[in-house]
Amino acid sequence: TTLAAQLGSRREASWIVDHAGPDQAQALADRRSAGEPLQYVLGRWPFRSLDLKVDPRVLVPRPETEQVVDVALRELAGAHHRRRAVAVPGGLEANVGPICVDLGTGSGDIALSMAAEGGGRSPGLAVWATDVSDDALAVARENREALAGVDAGAAARVRVALGSWFDALPGEILGRVDLVVSNPPYVAESEFPGLDLSVRAWEPRVALVAADGAGGIGGLAAIEAIIDGALPWLSHSGAMVIEIAPTQAEPSMAAAHRAGFGQVGVERDLSGRLRTLVARRSS
């Protein structure tokens, strides 16, 4: 009751006590009262079927990104099906499993979810999880190791690579990727001061804020970099799924059309906001 009064939330107090036990609960409650996100205080947070380690090296996993994974799973299956449908029988394209690339993986939430949920639907699936941050990849590796204890097959599907966007990928998968998926930085510099204090003070700024896009659209630079670099890596039937801010829907679609994607659209999240750019190479 005392913790609930301190936090202003009986639910959060219950989570903290269940997680830490009564002896450590007060220290965690003090951290939470100081503004630290509950996810970092607990050190773990659920994301779809996963129980992820999270700390200030990576973003807090959000429900909007869980929905992005829904779209990504659908597009991965569709791209792989289209590729196999036009492949020469018995050829490499007909027999090789699908390849998914998660750019800017952070905690590994998207990549590990794709591996855990997509592997059963897509035999032979390989997932590449990339990030420019060594710290973020350390968290992703820890989460992959934790997944291995629950689903060794899913964890084995994930390869982790350090580097900026496509620079992290090996040349042998050039032109063979069925899906590029990403939750990149997309907050504009001008929007950052208006974010909740817990976000500004605790979450990694580099994973949140992006420079203006080529047309001066706030926060669009990382999205444009992924769009502009994707086509050479994708198979002829490949697709791209990117989490965006609702205000970036039109310029993101325009960028995908300019880059040469045949089918481009944006899907809404559960709140009805435009959230997920979907672009397919084939028309």
Side-chain angles (χ1 to χ4, degrees), residues 59 62 183-196 199-200 204-213 217-223 243-245 247-248 275:
L59 292 180
R62 289 173 166 81
N183 174 21
Y186 57 75
V187 175
E189 293 276 359
S190 60
E191 295 171 330
F192 185 75
L195 297 181
D196 187 272
V199 176
R200 287 186 282 120
R205 193 178 191 277
V206 68
L208 289 166
V209 177
D212 292 351
I217 305 297
L220 203 65
I223 292 170
E243 182 172 332
I244 62 172
T247 57
Q248 296 165 336
R275 181 63 64 187

Side-chain angles (χ1 to χ4, degrees), residues 131-147:
D131 208 292
V132 73
S133 166
D134 270 318
D135 285 343
L137 285 185
V139 178
R141 289 189 181 97
E142 288 187 57
N143 283 322
R144 182 180 60 180
E145 290 170 11
L147 178 61

Side-chain angles (χ1 to χ4, degrees), residues 27 38 67 69 120 147 162 168 182-183 196-197 213 243 269 273:
L38 177 65
Q67 295 175 249
V69 173
L147 178 61
L162 176 67
S182 183
N183 174 21
D196 187 272
L197 179 60
E243 182 172 332
D269 61 23
R273 294 169 297 188

Side-chain angles (χ1 to χ4, degrees), residues 47-48 59-71 109-110 182-183 186 243 275:
F47 183 87
R48 297 181 67 90
L59 292 180
V60 168
R62 289 173 166 81
E64 293 87 349
T65 307
E66 294 193 41
Q67 295 175 249
V68 171
V69 173
D70 278 328
V71 177
D109 51 2
I110 293 177
S182 183
N183 174 21
Y186 57 75
E243 182 172 332
R275 181 63 64 187

